[in-house]
Amino acid sequence: MAHFRCNCGEVLGNGLVPNDVQIHVFKNQTWINAVNNHTEVYLIDKDYDIWKCPVCERVYSFKNKVDKMFALEDVEIDHFTSCLCGEHTNFAQYVAYTDIEMDRYTSDAETANELPDAPRELWSCNNCNRFFLKEIKSTSIQVYHEIDYYKDYETMPVDTGPQCIFLIPDGFAGPVEIIFGQDSYPYIELINNQYVFEIPVTGVLKVSNKESESGYAEDEYYFIDCSGNRIIRAEVSNHIITEFGNGTVKEKFTVKGR
């Protein structure tokens, strides 16, 4: 599970399972082969993920980390024949499902060939890196262009950020809450590009940090013994970050007992 802050300030994350931010992208031919071979959904190799900000509609593509950022162009087309750069043939074609859709289809169908038609199509121009997103239920196609977030003065870098490690008492199960911005409580130092949060037996941890720093990194969760030694990875769900108007930030997730 991971999170980072969009250029517009919105916190994006895939901690909620399922979520409506993460979109799974499959090469068109990979999907066709999977359907023809009756491959189960969870065994299909996706090409990459994209995360779409619900506020500004920027899109970020992921291949192990954030590798590209795209902005929505102020143009819509009703059918796709060529790119705006003039390219006519050099395209990659994909199908895409949101995390919520994949969860629903995985629950409702045992094999890929029982899935309905893909809810959206995506074409990527290999010449200028624009991509075109067509929702099956829509009559128009959205156009996105790539932003160089290392050079464009209007953007900020979205790169690998500090990793958050959560240490949980062995035997604990249930909700966890980390409350940031509590001045009278300890400050968690960044060490070796990691923040380590040791969760008390109450499940509620208060810290004076305003929030963990921006950037993309996969969170890790461990059960620990009474001496603080890590025993085994903990399984968690629904890791979300909530910001309040008074400046308070809360992270919440639920721990499954082992």
Side-chain angles (χ1 to χ4, degrees), residues 13-193:
N14 64 351
L16 189 63
V17 181
N19 64 83
D20 58 359
V21 170
Q22 188 175 11
I23 300 176
H24 306 285
V25 180
F26 304 85
K27 288 181 179 177
N28 195 53
Q29 192 58 52
T30 299
W31 192 260
I32 291 173
N33 292 342
V35 170
N36 292 338
N37 294 328
H38 307 290
T39 305
E40 294 188 13
V41 176
Y42 68 90
L43 294 177
I44 304 174
D45 292 329
K46 62 185 176 183
D47 194 54
Y48 59 92
D49 281 340
I50 59 176
W51 288 14
K52 186 176 182 180
C53 177
V55 175
C56 70
E57 295 195 283
R58 282 183 177 87
V59 168
Y60 300 83
S61 68
F62 289 80
K63 291 186 178 180
N64 298 320
K65 68 173 186 176
V66 180
D67 69 338
K68 293 179 182 178
M69 179 166 64
F70 298 85
L72 183 64
E73 293 196 24
D74 189 20
V75 60
E76 287 188 352
I77 57 178
D78 56 11
H79 63 282
F80 180 74
T81 56
S82 64
C83 182
L84 301 184
C85 72
E87 180 62 48
H88 288 272
T89 59
N90 192 13
F91 300 102
Q93 188 172 357
Y94 304 87
V95 298
Y97 290 78
T98 66
D99 192 56
I100 288 178
E101 290 164 345
M102 286 297 293
D103 180 75
R104 182 171 68 247
Y105 298 152
T106 303
S107 300
D108 294 345
E110 294 182 356
T111 56
N113 70 312
E114 295 177 2
L115 295 178
D117 292 336
R120 63 192 55 77
E121 295 177 289
L122 189 153
W123 298 268
S124 176
C125 177
N126 293 325
N127 182 48
C128 70
N129 281 338
R130 279 185 176 90
F131 77 84
F132 300 78
L133 186 64
K134 171 69 166 64
E135 303 280 346
I136 294 301
K137 295 181 179 180
S138 175
T139 58
S140 62
I141 299 173
Q142 292 180 313
V143 183
Y144 287 84
H145 67 274
E146 184 178 0
I147 299 173
D148 186 340
Y149 50 77
Y150 291 108
K151 295 180 180 178
D152 192 324
Y153 75 95
E154 294 182 349
T155 66
M156 64 181 182
V158 180
D159 209 341
T160 302
Q163 184 180 39
C164 292
I165 307 294
F166 300 92
L167 304 181
I168 303 159
D170 190 27
F172 182 92
V176 167
E177 184 174 75
I178 300 99
I179 306 175
F180 293 86
Q182 307 302 296
D183 292 338
S184 60
Y185 287 85
Y187 182 87
I188 307 300
E189 297 288 348
L190 180 65
I191 300 175
N192 296 327
N193 207 37

Side-chain angles (χ1 to χ4, degrees), residues 167-235:
L167 304 181
I168 303 159
D170 190 27
F172 182 92
V176 167
E177 184 174 75
I178 300 99
I179 306 175
F180 293 86
Q182 307 302 296
D183 292 338
S184 60
Y185 287 85
Y187 182 87
I188 307 300
E189 297 288 348
L190 180 65
I191 300 175
N192 296 327
N193 207 37
Q194 291 182 334
Y195 288 107
V196 178
F197 298 96
E198 189 164 346
I199 308 302
V201 293
T202 61
V204 178
L205 175 66
K206 296 181 180 181
V207 297
S208 59
N209 305 57
K210 298 304 180 184
E211 62 176 313
S212 53
E213 295 179 25
S214 297
Y216 176 84
E218 291 285 344
D219 299 327
E220 293 183 2
Y221 314 80
Y222 296 92
F223 286 116
I224 58 172
D225 61 23
C226 58
S227 298
N229 300 309
R230 300 179 188 185
I231 304 172
I232 192 173
R233 288 261 189 144
E235 182 179 344

